[in-house]
Amino acid sequence: MKNFDSLMVSRMGPIIAGIAVGILAPVLVLLGNPGNMGICVACFERDIVGALGFHRAAVVQYIRPEIIGLILGSFISAVVFKEFKPRAGSAPAVRFFLGLFAMIGALIFLGCPWRAYLRLAGGDFNALYGIAGLFVGILIGIYFISSGYNLGRSIPAPQESKAAGLIMPILAAGLLAFLLIAPKFGADGSGPIFFSEKGPGSMHAPWAASLAVMLLVGWLAQRSRFCTIGALRDLVLAHDAYLFWGIVALLIAAFGMNYALGMFKPGFAGQPVAHSDALWNFLGMILSGLCFTLAGGCPGRQLIMAGEGDGDAAVFVFGMMTGAAVAHNFGLASSGAGIGAHAPAAFITGMLFCLCVGFTMRRKY
């Protein structure tokens, strides 16, 4: 165990985590998750928000155990290796809105960075436009970082407030209870726990398998610092491919697994839970990539840090969940037929917000 952990915190760590995601995500699809969506942080947070009744898009409502497992896996790893460090205080309101707009961009594209790579590895060439947009968004964020952009430092929680770091693990445990019990609080025996009867929300692997897979992924990602945004940021800013090789490993492993399972279906048309509007696949991920870069990590990394006790990452996650509700309640989210009616206005609003944040929150030298 000690030798394996030494490997995880070495330069091999992100590669091992990437291989795990690449292999296990197609397995979850085989077990029941939607196509090319074995793991999608943004999509699964959106499904949880719907299951709790905060949006009423009936086809995307399910308490996804993958999100629960990612948080709890990270939490357990952080506690075991004495890296559970409650902290907060780095521009929480800004982080909340970065999370909100990151989700809107992701739902225009229909996927987070993890799913963008998994979609490509499954043969969905529409993902190429999304990945290109992601890279452009990260480059814009890198410009701001190199110009002195900074949201400030998180402050360690005082001893009497250490329990604040447990909020996300406790929330994850509560969601697991809701998943297993599916309580009906309404007077007529309905909601607020809603599960889709058709569409992507009705497609899911057995909860125990999903939870077990993501407990492992959460553990590996916490130890290795796996991050799809940090990988490209560090490659450009520091010419350090340490995290980038994790993305390469994910792509290779996922392609190999999809091919072996007969799930590699190359093309643009007819891809699962995807649309073929190249422009908006590109633009949606520009917005998401910029938001994630300004916030300091991809959505998976934000959940992992939240599991470690980072209150600022938790605020970003809550922003993403709010963004999911906003996107579906106000016609911003895409579907297989194309983008939402008001997605362009939301994109412009989000980009203006990010640019204002990037230009104004810079150190003066």
Side-chain angles (χ1 to χ4, degrees):
M1 181 67 177
K2 184 177 181 180
N3 289 337
F4 179 72
D5 186 65
S6 297
L7 191 62
M8 287 307 303
V9 298
S10 73
R11 296 185 71 85
M12 283 296 297
I15 295 175
I16 295 171
I19 291 172
V21 172
I23 290 174
L24 294 172
V27 169
L28 289 179
V29 173
L30 184 68
L31 293 176
N33 277 12
N36 292 342
M37 198 191 291
I39 301 172
C40 177
V41 175
C43 304
F44 291 172
E45 288 177 346
R46 180 268 319 276
D47 290 356
I48 290 173
V49 169
L52 298 177
F54 293 113
H55 73 67
R56 296 303 174 92
V59 295
V60 283
Q61 295 176 317
Y62 180 63
I63 295 178
R64 294 282 179 181
E66 292 87 353
I67 299 299
I68 297 167
L70 197 58
I71 295 171
L72 294 181
S74 168
F75 169 67
I76 294 168
S77 175
V79 169
V80 169
F81 294 100
K82 297 180 171 54
E83 293 185 351
F84 180 72
K85 298 175 181 178
R87 55 203 185 272
S90 173
V94 173
R95 290 181 184 277
F96 177 86
F97 281 99
L98 287 173
L100 185 149
F101 287 115
M103 178 62 87
I104 289 173
L107 292 182
I108 290 174
F109 167 69
L110 289 177
C112 68
W114 289 24
R115 188 181 183 229
Y117 294 117
L118 291 171
R119 281 174 59 175
L120 180 60
D124 183 354
F125 295 151
N126 298 295
L128 290 168
Y129 297 107
I131 293 169
L134 182 68
F135 189 64
V136 171
I138 293 170
L139 286 178
I140 298 171
I142 287 172
Y143 165 76
F144 288 124
I145 292 171
S146 62
S147 301
Y149 165 81
N150 195 295
L151 288 178
R153 294 177 62 85
S154 296
I155 301 171
Q159 189 61 41
E160 62 273 16
S161 302
K162 293 290 186 182
L166 295 172
I167 288 177
M168 288 301 286
I170 291 172
L171 175 62
L175 287 173
L176 181 59
F178 277 169
L179 170 64
L180 300 181
I181 301 170
K184 303 294 185 183
F185 296 117
D188 57 352
S190 63
I193 307 302
F194 303 93
F195 289 158
S196 298
E197 296 182 359
K198 60 181 180 179
S202 67
M203 303 168 67
H204 48 82
W207 71 267
S210 294
L211 182 63
V213 163
M214 294 309 287
L215 284 169
L216 174 61
V217 170
W219 181 291
L220 297 177
Q222 193 278 328
R223 299 307 294 146
S224 65
R225 308 299 188 260
F226 181 81
C227 179
T228 54
I229 297 298
L232 295 172
R233 178 199 62 210
D234 292 353
L235 186 65
V236 174
L237 267 180
H239 306 292
D240 186 352
Y242 167 59
L243 293 173
F244 179 75
W245 288 115
I247 295 178
V248 174
L250 185 159
L251 273 169
I252 294 172
F255 167 75
M257 199 66 180
N258 279 315
Y259 190 82
L261 295 174
M263 297 192 302
F264 181 72
K265 308 293 183 184
F268 288 94
Q271 294 292 340
V273 198
H275 63 81
S276 56
D277 189 323
L279 176 62
W280 284 103
N281 280 325
F282 177 72
L283 292 178
M285 287 305 269
I286 287 180
L287 176 57
S288 281
L290 178 53
C291 288
F292 293 137
T293 306
L294 294 178
C298 69
R301 181 68 186 148
Q302 297 290 343
L303 284 173
I304 291 159
M305 291 192 296
E308 296 173 343
D310 190 327
D312 296 323
V315 169
F316 183 89
V317 172
F318 290 138
M320 285 194 70
M321 297 179 80
T322 302
V326 170
H328 279 282
N329 288 336
F330 291 90
L332 314 179
S334 298
S335 68
I339 67 169
H342 305 296
F347 168 79
I348 293 170
T349 304
M351 288 299 296
L352 288 174
F353 174 79
C354 288
L355 293 175
C356 286
V357 168
F359 280 115
T360 59
M361 302 195 73
R362 295 189 290 179
R363 287 196 181 102
K364 306 296 191 293
Y365 296 101

